[in-house]
Amino acid sequence: MQNTGGTKITIKETQEKLKNGDISPEDVVSGFLSRIKERNKKTNGLLSVFEDATKEIKKKDKKLPLYGAVFAIKDNILIKGERCTAGSKLLEHYIAPFDATVIEKIKKKGGVFIGKGNMDEFAMGSSTENSAFGLSRNPLDLERVPGGSSGGPAVAVADGMCNAALGSDTGGSIRQPAAFCGVVGFKPTYGTVSRSGVISMASSFDQVGPLANSVEDAEIIFNAIRGKDEHDSVTSSLIKKKVKGKIKIGIPKEYFAEGMEREAKETVEKAISKINSPEIEVVKISLPYTEYALPAYEVIMASEVSANLARYDGIRYGLEFDRPAAKTIQDAYLNNRGEGFGKEAKRRIILGTYALSAGYYDAYYVKAQKVRTLIAEDFKKAFKKVDVILTPATPTLPFKIGEKIEDPLAMHLSDIFTVTANLSGLPAISLPCGKSGKFSVGAQILANRFYEDILFSVAKKLEKIWKQ
Ligand code: GLN
C-alpha cells in the first residue's frame, strides 16, 4: 500500500485515493506518523503527536465531507483532554476542558487530528522563536525561520506531516508562515469563524483559519468551520457573492514601495505580469493610509493583549510550582507572571498597559482606533472600484534564525502587509506565486468583508496560472 506521508498531499487527493481503494484510512495516518517520526526532531513543527489518530480515522463515516483529512492544530486551539500550551511556559500543564467550536466542527465532518503545532508564545511573533518549547525550522532551509506565529502548523503542512492545519491570525500569523513555507494560508472575514475555545491574543483581530496545500483545500476547510456560534457573539453566517462580470484586481502602489527585499518584490511583480486572462483586469490603486497601519496595529494589539493576558494570575491559570506557596497574593502574581511569561509577552503587556493608562489613553489608544477607521475606509473606497486587491504577503524571504530576535521592531516589520486585513476585518489569503532560489514567495489577495466566494475563485485562477 502507498504511504502518503512526506509528500505534500491535499485533502482532495487523499479522498480520491481512499475512494479508489489505492490506500486505506490507516495508511493515511501511518504515512503521516512515520514522516513525523523522521522529521519532527529536525523541524519541531509539532509539540504533541496523537498516535491514536489511526483509531480515530477508522471510526469516521466515509460519506462525511472531511473524511480522510488529517489536521495539525495550532497549540492555542483547545482539543478536549489534550495539552494546550499556547507556546507558553505558563500553560505547560494545562489540559483543555472542552473542544473549541472549530474542533467540534472538524470532528463532526470527518476530520482527524494528528498533533498540536508549535507557535510563538500566545501567538506573539513572526518566527516561532518566542515559543517556550524551542523554535521551529523552515523545511525549505533548516537554518531559516518558518515564520510565525503559526510556524508549527505551516511546517507540518509544508513538511508532509498532515494534509492541512488550523492556525490563528491576529496580524498575519497564518499568512506570513504560509508564505515562508510555501503553502496556502487563509484568514477569514472577522466574525465568520468562531473563536470559542481559542486562547485569545487581541480579540478585535483574532481569527482562526486554514493552512493547506491548495486554495481548494483552504476553501473546503473554511466551509467546514465557518458560521454563527452561540459561544462567540461576533460570529455571523453572512455570505456575499459578486454579481457576474469581469474580475477587477487592484494593485496598491503603497505595497510595492522602497524597503522591500528585491528578490521578494521582483518575484511578486513577475507573478502579476503573468496574469493575462480575458476574464481579469488588473488596475493600479492607492491605499494612502497604509503607512500608519503597523503603528496603529501595534498600539491596539498590545492594549488588547495586556487585558487578555491579565487572566494568567497563577490562580485560575498559571505555573505549577513545586515549591512552597507564595506568602502573599502579590508574590503569587509576581512569581507566576515574572517566571511564566517570556520577553515578548512582557514587552507587549507593558506597552499595552501604558497605552491604556489614564494619561495616555487618548493620545495612543483612541488615536490608533481613529487610524484604524481611516484604513478601513481606504479599503471601502477601493472595493467600489475593484473586486479584490493583490499585494505581496511579506516584505522579505524567510530570514535566518536569530537574525531579528534581538530587534523587535525589525521583527514586527514582517507584518507590514498583513496587518491591514486584521485592522479592517477583511478576508485575505496568501498563496505561492513564484520562487526565488529554493524559497517560495507568497502573494496576498484581499477581498471585501464576507466576499470569500470571489476571493477563492480569483485565488484558484491565479494558483493555476502561477503553477504553470
Ligand atoms: N506577527 C504578528 C505579531 O507578532 C502577528 C501575530 C498574529 O497574527 N498572531 O503581532
Side-chain angles (χ1 to χ4, degrees):
M1 281 281 181
Q2 207 164 341
N3 186 321
T4 50
T7 44
K8 295 210 256 174
I9 183 163
T10 63
I11 293 175
K12 260 270 138 87
E13 287 160 353
T14 301
Q15 289 178 333
E16 241 137 65
K17 282 183 193 262
L18 282 167
K19 211 164 137 199
N20 299 338
D22 296 341
I23 47 172
S24 70
E26 295 93 313
D27 289 336
V28 176
V29 173
S30 65
F32 289 133
L33 284 175
S34 61
R35 180 67 175 173
I36 292 168
K37 250 187 211 116
E38 179 197 332
R39 290 287 293 180
N40 202 41
K41 272 192 253 52
K42 292 191 184 102
T43 53
N44 195 32
L46 297 179
L47 293 178
S48 46
V49 180
F50 308 149
E51 304 274 348
D52 64 351
T54 319
K55 259 198 282 165
E56 291 301 314
I57 202 167
K58 282 203 280 191
K59 287 192 223 153
K60 300 284 179 184
D61 181 345
K62 288 188 174 67
K63 288 191 280 305
L64 291 169
L66 289 179
Y67 175 67
V70 177
F71 290 87
I73 303 295
K74 187 175 183 178
D75 210 19
N76 59 352
I77 301 175
L78 272 53
I79 301 181
K80 190 176 175 180
E82 301 293 347
R83 212 163 72 111
C84 193
T85 68
S88 179
K89 202 173 146 191
L90 265 173
L91 294 179
E92 191 173 356
H93 305 290
Y94 177 66
I95 303 292
F98 64 96
D99 277 333
T101 298
V102 288
I103 295 299
E104 237 172 46
K105 289 193 174 200
I106 289 183
K107 278 186 183 170
K108 268 195 199 131
K109 289 173 185 172
V112 297
F113 309 109
I114 202 145
K116 300 294 293 286
N118 195 15
M119 57 184 284
D120 288 295
E121 184 177 15
F122 289 109
M124 301 191 284
S126 308
S127 66
T128 71
E129 291 166 290
N130 294 333
S131 168
F133 307 105
L135 52 85
S136 297
R137 291 173 185 271
N138 193 320
L140 301 172
D141 178 344
L142 295 177
E143 295 312 309
R144 307 234 169 195
V145 304
S149 63
S150 315
V155 168
V157 177
D159 216 9
M161 298 177 183
C162 55
N163 292 115
L166 287 186
S168 66
D169 191 311
T170 303
S173 278
I174 292 175
R175 291 160 286 156
Q176 185 255 18
F180 275 11
C181 293
V183 299
V184 174
F186 172 59
K187 180 202 91 74
T189 300
Y190 183 75
T192 49
V193 177
S194 169
R195 298 161 305 163
S196 172
V198 181
I199 296 177
S200 309
M201 178 184 157
S203 308
S204 77
F205 301 116
D206 297 346
Q207 267 300 274
V208 172
L211 294 103
N213 280 314
S214 70
V215 175
E216 186 183 32
D217 273 8
E219 188 177 16
I220 292 172
I221 299 163
F222 172 62
N223 284 326
I225 60 174
R226 70 180 299 167
K228 189 155 180 55
D229 177 20
E230 58 172 8
H231 301 299
D232 181 353
S233 60
V234 306
T235 49
S236 156
S237 297
L238 195 60
I239 296 178
K240 291 191 176 176
K241 295 203 174 186
K242 175 185 160 60
V243 269
K244 297 238 168 317
K246 210 169 179 174
I247 294 159
K248 267 195 179 170
I249 302 182
I251 313 285
K253 65 169 192 274
E254 292 78 5
Y255 285 70
F256 293 84
E258 292 305 298
M260 226 186 128
E261 206 171 72
R262 191 174 53 83
E263 291 83 352
K265 187 171 178 217
E266 284 176 2
T267 311
V268 180
E269 283 169 345
K270 198 167 147 208
I272 295 171
S273 71
K274 284 190 190 160
I275 307 172
N276 181 10
S277 150
E279 304 154 48
I280 303 177
E281 188 185 343
V282 178
V283 296
K284 291 213 165 75
I285 60 163
S286 170
L287 297 166
Y289 285 104
T290 303
E291 67 172 299
Y292 305 109
L294 200 53
Y297 167 77
E298 294 291 332
V299 171
I300 301 168
M301 173 274 294
S303 302
E304 294 184 14
V305 160
S306 72
N308 272 330
L309 298 193
R311 77 193 65 173
Y312 302 102
D313 55 7
I315 294 164
R316 287 163 298 181
Y317 308 95
L319 289 177
E320 304 208 346
F321 290 111
D322 47 3
R323 55 179 151 100
K327 287 206 179 63
T328 64
I329 189 81
Q330 181 72 7
D331 282 346
Y333 292 162
L334 291 175
N335 289 346
N336 268 279
R337 296 172 69 80
E339 286 180 35
F341 286 127
K343 262 193 198 167
E344 183 66 16
K346 285 181 187 156
R347 223 170 357 237
R348 295 193 196 199
I349 292 170
I350 292 168
L351 188 72
T353 308
Y354 179 80
L356 290 179
S357 61
Y360 297 99
Y361 181 84
D362 287 323
Y364 294 108
Y365 183 73
V366 173
K367 188 64 148 260
Q369 290 290 15
K370 288 180 179 164
V371 174
R372 181 178 193 171
T373 303
L374 291 172
I375 288 163
E377 277 169 9
D378 257 4
F379 281 110
K380 231 190 220 165
K381 280 186 212 147
F383 286 124
K384 289 204 172 106
K385 290 191 225 134
V386 297
D387 300 301
V388 296
I389 292 171
L390 196 162
T391 77
T394 59
T396 66
L397 299 177
F399 44 87
K400 290 217 173 83
I401 289 168
E403 192 181 318
K404 299 193 180 179
I405 193 68
E406 296 305 332
D407 185 353
L409 284 183
M411 186 72 89
H412 290 194
L413 275 176
S414 304
D415 312 322
I416 193 153
F417 298 143
T418 47
V419 293
T420 48
N422 304 77
L423 282 161
S424 317
L426 305 174
I429 192 164
S430 101
L431 70 154
C433 71
K435 283 201 152 174
S436 176
K438 60 182 163 187
F439 297 108
S440 172
V441 174
Q444 175 179 232
I445 303 166
L446 303 99
N448 208 347
R449 284 164 62 82
F450 301 105
Y451 280 90
E452 266 82 5
D453 198 53
I454 178 84
L455 183 84
F456 284 123
S457 117
V458 174
K460 278 187 268 190
K461 283 195 175 84
L462 296 181
E463 184 182 48
K464 224 188 226 163
I465 295 172
W466 291 334
K467 265 195 180 154
Q468 282 163 10

